[in-house]
Structures are given as C-alpha cells and as structure tokens.
Amino acid sequence: MDERWAIYIDIEGFSALYPEGDGALWALNRLMFAIHRIGKNVFPESPDRLFAHQLGDGFLITSDFHEENLDRAASITILLMKYITEFGVFARATIAEGDLPGITGCYPDEIMNDCDEGTLSSRMGEGLMTIFPVMGTVLINAVGINKRSSKKGPLLVMPSAYKNRLSSLFIIRDIPDTTISTIDWIHTEFEGLVKIRDEAKLGYPNPKELEIFVRNYIIKHKHKLPTEWIDSCSTYLGVVNT
C-alpha cells in the first residue's frame, strides 16, 4: 500500500472573519508559521519529512510514505488546532489517505514552456498563471470526509476505520449515523504531543484554558453561531456551554 496520510486544515469561518479586519490573515500567517516550524524543526528528513500545500485559507499536509500508525498525523493536527486558538480563532481539520502525484506533465507544453525557470508561474504577457503542481485522491478524500461529517464546528474528523490505527491516548467520539469519527483535540494531551510541541518551539493553552476560550467565544459570538456549532463543542469536544 502506497497511500500516504494527509491533513487538511483551514481557518474556521475565514470568509466571515476576513471582512472584519486583518485577524483572519494573521491567523493564516500563524498557521503557516506553525506548519513550517513542525516540518523544519521536528520532521526535516525522509522518511518522516512533510509536504505542505496552501489551498486558500488552509493547507494540505502530507507524509512522505504510507504509515500504518496514524498517531503522528493526529498529533500534528491536534498541535496545530490547539496552537491557532492563541490568536482568537479556531481551525477545522480532516485526516485522510490517498495518493498525491505530480501532474504538471499533463499540462499544455505552451504553458509549461512559458514558466520562469524554477517556478510554476507561467507568463501571460504581463500577467501570470500560477500552477498547482499536484492533485490526487488524498485531496479529494480529505474534502469529501469533511463534507460527509455533516457537523458544524471546530472539529477534527476522520473515517471511523482509522480508530484502530490510533493509540488509546486519543479521545475519539463517533458521529451517529455516519462512518466518520472525531478526535477531541481539546482534551487529548500526552507526552508524544508535548514532545512535538517543544521540538517545534510552539506553545498552546492547556485543556482548561481551551475550555474557557471556547465558552467565551460562544458567549461573544452566540448571535452569529449556528446552534449545531455550539452543540458540537459540547458533544464532540466535551465543552458544555454553561
């Protein structure tokens, strides 16, 4: 099996946050920073190296090879989701598997020949076409799982079949009437996760602080948040809105 794991993570509610100021872009800045830190400081070399591709307000992060144990993928995702709350926002994330081949060989020669050397920007007179070099089932699967989860909120979702490939250190809850499960990223905390955090030189709030943040966020934005969003925090993240 050569399917690699992938994390798709984006800023929750980015389109709503963007018109309100530079907070959404600053959150994207910090998400990019954290991913780079993890890749550079913790997993810089094969077979553990990471590949990250920006997609709008989010990133697709993939492993180098197939990994039967998904603890590393889940730990990286949880670290990013905890970290981004430091900037007053949430992330939503999916863990999926699939292939991610380079596809530039399928693009027209005329376009590739007009690319500046060493770049994927093709000249269109005085304009530019920027080319995304990869595509595959891993991206399709990640987006599809997120849609099938059917629940709103700052959740970390994955196929329920992955539960057997994660250790008991992760707090996992199933979404009823689906084949999707969630990981309680707020309360999942263990030595391996802390080790990645420390090696990446990143920080994040502890579970109690995260609970307070969620409650305060709900109070502040209650008139804008769907009831299902608030319910998801209680059901899947263990944070009851008191």
Side-chain angles (χ1 to χ4, degrees):
M1 181 182 291
D2 59 1
E3 289 189 331
R4 62 177 78 181
W5 57 251
I7 302 159
Y8 179 69
I9 183 167
D10 63 4
I11 304 299
E12 173 79 354
F14 185 88
S15 59
L17 294 169
Y18 187 83
E20 297 181 357
D22 60 2
L25 287 176
W26 177 242
L28 183 61
N29 171 299
R30 294 295 86 187
L31 178 60
M32 182 183 296
F33 171 80
I35 293 168
H36 190 267
R37 272 279 179 94
I38 295 168
K40 181 179 71 172
N41 293 349
V42 189
F43 304 114
E45 298 176 350
S46 186
D48 297 325
R49 62 183 176 172
L50 303 175
F51 298 87
H53 306 276
Q54 184 185 0
L55 299 169
D57 64 321
F59 282 85
L60 184 73
I61 308 163
T62 68
S63 60
D64 201 0
F65 299 103
H66 174 75
E67 296 176 18
E68 183 60 27
N69 184 287
L70 293 174
D71 281 15
R72 186 166 77 110
S75 296
I76 291 169
T77 313
I78 290 170
L79 169 53
L80 292 171
M81 295 184 78
K82 289 176 184 279
Y83 171 78
I84 204 65
T85 64
E86 293 271 58
F87 309 97
V89 297
F90 292 100
R92 183 179 174 95
T94 304
I95 298 174
E97 282 187 313
D99 59 33
L100 195 71
I103 57 173
T104 54
C106 300
Y107 293 158
D109 291 340
E110 179 178 324
I111 292 174
M112 299 309 296
N113 291 339
D114 281 342
C115 283
D116 293 328
E117 185 176 355
T119 74
L120 287 174
S121 296
S122 182
R123 287 172 277 110
M124 300 188 298
E126 294 183 356
L128 284 175
M129 174 185 286
T130 302
I131 299 167
F132 190 59
V134 295
M135 184 68 67
T137 58
V138 72
L139 176 57
I140 295 168
N141 292 342
V143 173
I145 291 165
N146 193 32
K147 289 180 179 178
R148 295 204 316 273
S149 68
S150 73
K151 296 297 181 183
K152 298 183 182 297
L155 302 179
L156 166 48
V157 298
M158 64 180 185
S160 297
Y162 291 1
K163 290 189 295 183
N164 295 331
R165 297 168 59 189
L166 288 167
S167 72
S168 60
L169 298 168
F170 296 88
I171 302 170
I172 301 172
R173 298 184 176 96
D174 296 332
I175 298 178
D177 303 317
T178 73
T179 58
I180 306 297
S181 296
T182 67
I183 298 178
D184 179 352
W185 56 270
I186 287 180
H187 298 102
T188 294
E189 187 79 8
F190 58 94
E191 184 177 348
L193 175 60
V194 172
K195 184 174 185 291
I196 296 173
R197 179 199 68 188
D198 291 347
E199 289 182 4
K201 298 179 181 178
L202 298 169
Y204 57 68
N206 63 44
K208 186 59 65 177
E209 291 169 334
L210 286 169
E211 287 186 10
I212 293 170
F213 173 69
V214 172
R215 292 192 184 102
N216 288 342
Y217 187 92
I218 290 172
I219 291 170
K220 181 178 180 181
H221 301 279
K222 193 168 186 177
H223 63 291
K224 296 181 180 179
L225 293 174
T227 300
E228 187 180 12
W229 198 101
I230 298 171
D231 290 344
S232 287
C233 291
S234 174
T235 304
Y236 302 110
L237 299 178
V239 181
V240 179
N241 183 34
T242 56

